[in-house]
Amino acid sequence: MTLKLLLAASASLLLLTACGGSPATDAVTDGGDTVVEVSELACLPQPIPQSSYQVKPQNAVNDFTMNVANIMPPGNSGHISPLTSPLPNQDPDSYGDHYDDQREMYWNSQFKDGAFTDVAALSPEHDLDSGDGNVKIYRADFGVPVIHGDTGYAVWYGAGYVTAQDRLFLMDAALRQGAGTFSALTGTGDVADDVQRKTLRYSQAEYQQFYDNLSDLAKDALDGYVAGANAWIDRVNNPLDLAAELPMEMLALQYTPSHINPLDVLALGVYMTRFVAANGGDEMANVSLLQNLTADHGRLLARQIFKDVLWVDDKKATVTVTDAEFTNISTPEPLREAVLEAAMDYAESLPPELARGDGTGHFPEPPPVQAKLPEDYEFPYPPELLSAALERYNNREPVSRISASYQVTVNDTASEGDSTLILSAPQLGYSYPTLFYELEVVGGGYASRGVGVPGLPVVGIGYGTRVAWALTTGESKTIDSFVVELTGPETYLHDGEEKQMDCRDEVIAYRSSAAGVPAGPVGLNSQDIRVCRTVHGPVVARSADGKLARAVQYGMWMREIETVEGVLAWARAQNFDEFHEAMSKVSWNENTMYADADGNIAYYHPGLHPWRHPTYDQRLPAKGDGSQDHCDTLVFENTPHSINPSRGYMHNWNNKPAKAWGEGTGGAASQEPSAIDGRNRIWEELLTAEVSGAVDGHGDDVAGVNYQDLFDFDKRIGRIDPKSYALLPVINRCLGAANPCDLSAKQQQMLVELQQWDGQHYNDAIDPLAAEDAEASKDTAAATIFSAIVAAMVDELVSDVLPTDFIARHNARGNHPYDVGTFHKLLVRIFKADDSSLALHYDDWLKGRTETEFLQAAFSSAQTQLEADYGAATAVTEYKRMHARADVCGLANPLAGPCITMPHQDRGSWIHIIEFDPN
């Protein structure tokens, strides 16, 4: 079909829809006698890039002051000494220097000085010959290693050496996870995870190819890091070297570290980019939703409900880029409804077992093998504690990866004075030690400080001497499922031909056990598996009848390692042009903000985003027969970005990057659709008020954002309930002398209490160090009442309409219990229709009730729950919940390390705030 015919069909469908008609499920008219089948739609060209910007030139004089503060709870060290700190569950302070010296500061919104270290008055902790130049390792305050090397190789040699010293157990565990060899250490419980990783990862030959294709700069960093880590491992394995201790976790698990190698480091890089910087591949959850809705409500209502809870492009959603539009949706807008209908037709027929398979972590666990140990063998650690640690690990709650990282950047258009500002707050949860590791690297062209992940030779988030950058997970859908028709165990149909899968054999080595815990040699037993790929990617699941298979296609397939080149360049950049060039190299989807000493700010939503076939709707699996293969990958210029925007500030909280961009509604709570009232509205309100000089009680009343404002905002951002902006006004519709919601006397008292509320889920009177059941750990009555009413509103909305598994999945907030979710946004669309560009499809969300009747029911349910929690005779002013707690536990607890809780604050787990102040 020609492009002209397609556009004619689009115009005709738009007219039909505007006049109240309904599009056909699989065909539209072109305005004449021609009927255009959705299946006839062909690939369309990418949009023509429209972006334009002006860059401020580099200040050759460098006449500026750089103010830097950062914080990383609980501390930078992760080493537990088997001699001085052998017992678990002790006071965190007892585990050594810098193990817990930033936790209390963080929970009191305090920061440490993050400026580059003047080493002139310091003596090096280590003075090493790397084999390619000398490297000296100093210690700054709070145990931050400062690495000065003669060459790039020497710098990263020092980084590998000191990271292994501080975080050897975490480094080893991370590398094992990337390589799919974790069960070799822990036993049968992790075999399924290793099978999944082996299924999705590359072969050793492919990793060797990645290594061979690295630039000399990247090879130097990788080789130096590996050599440095191995030099420390050699010291640990030398029984005469008493200064290099085996970590307590390794002693308890009865193993010693082996040398790491460059290919396993690359495998960890691939694993991390997919874990934190790619989304999708779980469309079968949406298939399940559709099929269950159809069974419960019939086909017509099922599809209406489906469209209302999994929308793709709300044009009124709060976005980061406000001065341009970008799209990753190739289907012309008037045709999207028909394309979705056709996708649902296909999805209805898919067997549910395509959701689970060897490649999704559902490989059957092999029976444990009993280790043969000498009769006089003594465990180095009580088996019951090791058993408890493994039970805690194996029975842990499934990870609800709800991204909650934020970033802000401001230039002189919006700042108070002429400063350029940036705040970075990535969130990876809390643990002993944190998954981040802070370091400073200088030499060989590098000059940067920030955090990386043990096992990877990068400063992933941080700053240089003239530039700074921030990261948050992008959440765009870059992983798609394709369902192929099988003609045999390893053959399938594609483009009308039978094709052979690319298959290989892999071996999963796992450990024996004794007394119910891992014991004996590491990786003594083995499980053979067969790993296959189609043209789309790894096969992760098959139908029970052997007729269908599901493969997942990664947007950055075979190109993940390109990100290493870009991130290494960040640590060398001195100006915008150098950083911008580095951004064009990264293949992952991590929102990146930038600021520099010349006054430039920028935002990027990078990655290899598929330009999908126009017949494909990203909410559901695609046909793998070739008819819906991706058309292209968006060029860098077509990915959302903004450079020096006219309003002078930008913010991101894992939200929709730009207008017209499609959300990755892939079936998980971390991929929820965006709306005007997402959590990032908090940043919009705070920054807009401060730029205008409005008095909001939290910043100052001087127009423009200053350095101190960002500290104040960071404190408040972790305490505000993001649901309050939209849903408190809805609840307040029950106010008035006429009692419009027919509330009882007690319910009216609840409503009155809400009028005193500051909008925070967190009570400012909370003492972070108080016991979790103490009075000083309680929230306000208003916050408690609001949450109860909102929870009741959600229950009134979705019960008996949506399947329980879908409700549970989208009610899950991970370690962000007060976050706004899909159902809260749906409530806003129902009660505040003008706040969304999308009309509702299902017309009975209130179940035949008026808005006030619905609210009255929610108040009644909330009252019942509150009285059950606090007593029927208790005054509403005493409805005070215990504030949610965040676990801060040793990664191997109760085997080793402490385990405590702290009051939840929705803030980043590494935060840096930077000002470039021109003199």
Side-chain angles (χ1 to χ4, degrees):
M1 189 175 79
T2 65
L3 178 60
K4 181 177 179 180
L5 179 59
L6 177 60
L7 294 177
S10 301
S12 178
L13 180 61
L14 179 61
L15 179 62
L16 175 66
T17 305
C19 294
S22 298
T25 60
D26 59 358
V28 292
T29 176
D30 70 345
D33 297 328
T34 304
V35 175
V36 180
E37 297 288 338
V38 167
S39 60
E40 294 179 13
L41 299 181
C43 285
L44 294 173
Q46 292 187 39
I48 299 173
Q50 302 291 324
S51 179
S52 62
Y53 54 86
Q54 291 185 327
V55 177
K56 299 176 183 179
Q58 181 170 340
N59 179 355
V61 180
N62 283 333
D63 188 15
F64 66 91
T65 300
M66 183 178 179
N67 297 309
V68 188
N70 66 44
I71 193 72
M72 189 186 72
N76 208 41
S77 174
H79 179 71
I80 300 178
S81 169
L83 297 178
T84 61
S85 310
L87 297 177
N89 296 319
Q90 303 301 301
D91 188 300
D93 286 340
S94 69
Y95 288 92
D97 294 339
H98 313 306
Y99 190 82
D100 190 55
D101 55 356
Q102 298 183 59
R103 174 175 55 89
E104 292 184 21
M105 293 174 62
Y106 172 88
W107 259 274
N108 286 305
S109 293
Q110 298 171 338
F111 288 75
K112 68 181 192 289
D113 183 6
F116 281 86
T117 307
D118 181 0
V119 300
L122 298 179
S123 297
E125 180 179 306
H126 302 290
D127 191 340
L128 308 169
D129 180 3
S130 73
D132 186 16
N134 176 261
V135 56
K136 292 181 174 64
I137 302 173
Y138 305 87
R139 291 284 182 174
D141 292 340
F142 296 90
V144 177
V146 180
I147 301 135
H148 283 238
D150 293 339
T151 64
Y153 181 95
V155 164
W156 291 110
Y157 181 98
Y161 189 91
V162 74
T163 304
Q165 177 184 358
D166 289 351
R167 301 289 191 90
L168 183 55
F169 175 68
L170 179 56
M171 176 189 284
D172 181 76
L175 289 167
R176 287 178 180 277
Q177 289 187 323
T181 60
F182 202 55
S183 57
L185 174 63
T186 58
T188 59
D190 283 301
V191 167
D193 287 344
D194 279 350
V195 170
Q196 180 183 21
R197 296 182 187 112
K198 291 279 191 181
T199 300
L200 299 177
R201 77 192 295 270
Y202 301 111
S203 68
Q204 288 299 98
E206 287 167 330
Y207 281 115
Q208 184 63 53
Q209 179 184 339
F210 294 157
Y211 176 84
D212 293 340
N213 291 336
L214 289 173
S215 67
D216 290 342
L217 184 78
K219 281 184 181 177
D220 272 353
L222 178 56
D223 291 344
Y225 190 87
V226 167
N230 286 337
W232 180 262
I233 289 171
D234 286 341
R235 289 191 60 185
V236 169
N237 288 331
N238 180 358
L240 300 180
D241 192 341
L242 301 181
E245 294 180 321
L246 185 72
M248 184 65 230
E249 299 93 336
M250 290 184 171
L251 177 63
L253 288 168
Q254 309 164 69
Y255 81 106
T256 55
S258 300
H259 273 189
I260 70 174
N261 66 75
L263 301 193
D264 282 350
V265 173
L266 293 178
L268 174 59
V270 170
Y271 175 72
M272 288 302 300
T273 58
R274 292 182 180 179
F275 182 71
V276 302
N279 248 317
D282 46 7
E283 301 88 349
M284 287 303 296
N286 293 343
V287 172
S288 175
L289 169 66
L290 178 64
Q291 293 176 345
N292 287 330
L293 286 173
T294 301
D296 292 343
H297 302 286
R299 199 166 186 259
L300 178 62
L301 293 182
R303 295 186 177 204
Q304 292 174 354
I305 296 168
F306 183 96
K307 294 171 187 175
D308 281 352
V309 296
L310 291 175
W311 65 94
V312 170
D313 180 22
D314 187 339
K315 299 188 186 310
K316 290 188 177 181
T318 303
V319 297
T320 300
V321 178
T322 59
D323 54 357
E325 288 192 2
F326 296 87
T327 189
N328 60 348
I329 308 175
S330 63
T331 309
E333 192 164 351
L335 295 176
R336 292 177 189 173
E337 189 90 353
V339 165
L340 176 57
E341 290 285 345
M344 289 193 284
D345 289 344
Y346 177 62
E348 283 179 338
S349 68
L350 294 177
E353 57 266 26
L354 288 176
R356 296 161 65 95
D358 294 353
T360 64
H362 296 95
F363 186 85
E365 180 178 342
V369 178
Q370 292 301 310
K372 295 180 180 180
L373 302 175
E375 291 184 5
D376 59 349
Y377 180 83
E378 293 185 8
F379 284 94
Y381 216 68
E384 59 271 17
L385 282 180
L386 182 52
S387 179
L390 291 171
E391 181 178 5
R392 178 177 178 269
Y393 173 77
N394 290 325
N395 294 330
R396 66 198 183 280
E397 290 290 326
V399 177
S400 297
R401 194 182 70 88
I402 311 298
S403 301
S405 307
Y406 49 88
Q407 53 188 195
V408 173
T409 188
V410 182
N411 68 12
D412 59 0
T413 301
S415 66
E416 181 183 322
D418 296 323
S419 293
T420 305
L421 305 165
I422 189 168
L423 181 154
S424 175
Q427 170 57 256
L428 278 183
Y430 308 103
S431 59
Y432 286 103
T434 172
L435 300 181
F436 290 127
Y437 179 67
E438 185 178 1
L439 71 168
E440 181 179 324
V441 294
V442 179
Y446 295 96
S448 66
R449 178 168 173 169
V451 293
V453 174
L456 297 176
V458 293
V459 178
I461 310 171
Y463 42 93
T465 56
R466 306 189 77 261
V467 307
W469 62 96
L471 296 183
T472 69
T473 297
E475 297 293 3
S476 282
K477 186 170 184 283
T478 57
I479 311 170
D480 291 331
S481 289
F482 286 82
V483 177
V484 298
E485 181 181 343
L486 298 176
T487 58
E490 297 183 1
T491 55
Y492 63 102
L493 294 177
H494 183 262
D495 282 342
E497 300 177 359
E498 182 178 73
K499 293 187 176 179
Q500 184 73 35
M501 293 183 184
D502 177 10
C503 298
R504 70 181 187 273
D505 293 320
E506 292 275 3
V507 177
I508 306 297
Y510 60 94
R511 203 171 183 189
S512 302
S513 63
V517 299
V522 171
L524 180 65
N525 313 291
S526 64
Q527 171 77 54
D528 295 333
I529 63 169
R530 185 78 167 159
V531 174
C532 293
R533 303 174 187 163
T534 69
V535 294
H536 304 104
V539 174
V540 296
R542 297 170 183 256
S543 61
D545 61 9
K547 294 181 178 180
L548 298 174
R550 180 167 67 93
V552 290
Q553 180 166 349
Y554 288 84
M556 55 183 167
W557 183 254
M558 296 293 290
R559 296 181 61 184
E560 290 93 341
I561 303 303
E562 293 174 21
T563 294
V564 173
E565 303 280 1
V567 175
L568 283 172
W570 296 349
R572 303 169 66 88
Q574 291 294 305
N575 55 50
F576 172 80
D577 288 339
E578 292 175 1
F579 194 88
H580 184 74
E581 173 63 22
M583 282 303 309
S584 69
K585 298 177 181 179
V586 301
S587 59
W588 66 4
N589 182 222
E590 284 282 296
N591 296 302
T592 307
M593 279 190 179
Y594 168 87
D596 67 27
D598 305 311
N600 294 298
I601 62 173
Y603 163 79
Y604 303 89
H605 187 78
L608 301 177
H609 300 275
W611 184 241
R612 298 177 174 92
H613 196 279
T615 63
Y616 175 42
D617 187 286
Q618 64 177 286
R619 286 165 279 197
L620 295 165
K623 297 177 181 178
D625 60 3
S627 64
Q628 293 185 323
D629 285 1
H630 291 162
C631 299
D632 202 353
T633 298
L634 288 178
V635 297
F636 175 66
E637 292 77 12
N638 270 335
T639 59
H641 61 278
S642 181
I643 298 162
N644 292 326
S646 58
R647 71 175 188 166
Y649 62 93
M650 293 178 284
H651 57 82
N652 182 275
W653 205 346
N654 308 110
N655 53 269
K656 183 183 179 81
K659 292 186 188 326
W661 193 260
E663 275 82 22
T665 51
S670 64
Q671 303 161 15
E672 294 178 330
S674 292
I676 192 172
D677 286 304
R679 63 186 174 215
N680 54 312
R681 180 177 172 180
I682 302 175
W683 277 115
E684 182 70 16
E685 297 282 343
L686 292 176
L687 290 165
T688 300
E690 196 63 36
V691 169
S692 67
V695 179
D696 63 5
H698 299 280
D700 55 52
D701 58 358
V702 178
V705 181
N706 63 36
Y707 185 50
Q708 186 56 49
D709 287 334
L710 292 186
F711 293 92
D712 296 337
F713 292 162
D714 175 74
K715 178 179 180 178
R716 189 167 185 231
I717 206 77
R719 304 183 178 199
I720 296 175
D721 191 320
K723 301 181 291 296
S724 62
Y725 284 106
L727 294 182
L728 184 58
V730 171
I731 293 170
N732 281 344
R733 293 180 187 182
C734 292
L735 285 169
N739 192 11
C741 297
D742 194 24
L743 302 181
S744 69
K746 196 163 195 178
Q747 291 163 10
Q748 291 185 58
Q749 293 170 15
M750 291 161 57
L751 184 59
V752 169
E753 188 68 21
L754 289 180
Q755 308 315 304
Q756 316 302 317
W757 189 33
D758 59 6
Q760 294 189 177
H761 60 72
Y762 188 96
N763 184 355
D764 284 338
I766 286 176
D767 178 359
L769 301 182
E772 57 186 82
D773 58 351
E775 188 70 23
S777 296
K778 289 183 178 180
D779 283 324
T780 64
T784 306
I785 292 168
F786 175 77
S787 288
I789 295 172
V790 170
M793 290 171 70
V794 168
D795 186 62
E796 291 287 336
L797 184 75
V798 302
S799 62
D800 301 323
V801 178
L802 293 168
T804 55
D805 65 329
F806 183 85
I807 294 172
R809 189 163 59 250
H810 283 266
N811 268 337
R813 307 316 314 158
N815 58 338
H816 308 284
Y818 304 112
D819 194 14
V820 61
T822 294
F823 303 137
H824 307 118
K825 298 170 188 175
L826 180 58
L827 281 167
V828 174
R829 291 178 60 198
I830 294 168
F831 282 88
K832 302 173 72 177
D834 289 345
D835 280 0
S836 173
S837 69
L838 303 173
L840 292 167
H841 296 81
Y842 181 59
D843 63 4
D844 196 27
W845 281 111
L846 301 187
K847 301 172 184 174
R849 296 170 290 190
T850 65
E851 290 185 356
T852 52
E853 290 171 341
F854 178 90
L855 289 170
Q856 197 283 326
F859 264 91
S860 294
S861 295
Q863 179 184 349
T864 298
Q865 185 60 56
L866 289 167
E867 289 181 346
D869 291 342
Y870 303 103
T874 303
V876 298
T877 54
E878 297 304 312
Y879 290 165
K880 297 179 181 179
R881 69 189 175 198
M882 291 297 174
H883 189 77
R885 309 286 294 189
D887 289 339
V888 190
C889 295
L891 294 175
N893 179 272
L895 179 65
C899 189
I900 62 172
T901 66
M902 297 295 290
H904 168 75
Q905 296 180 1
D906 214 348
R907 300 167 64 212
S909 49
W910 150 266
I911 306 172
H912 69 244
I913 299 176
I914 296 173
E915 176 186 35
F916 295 103
D917 183 12
N919 294 324

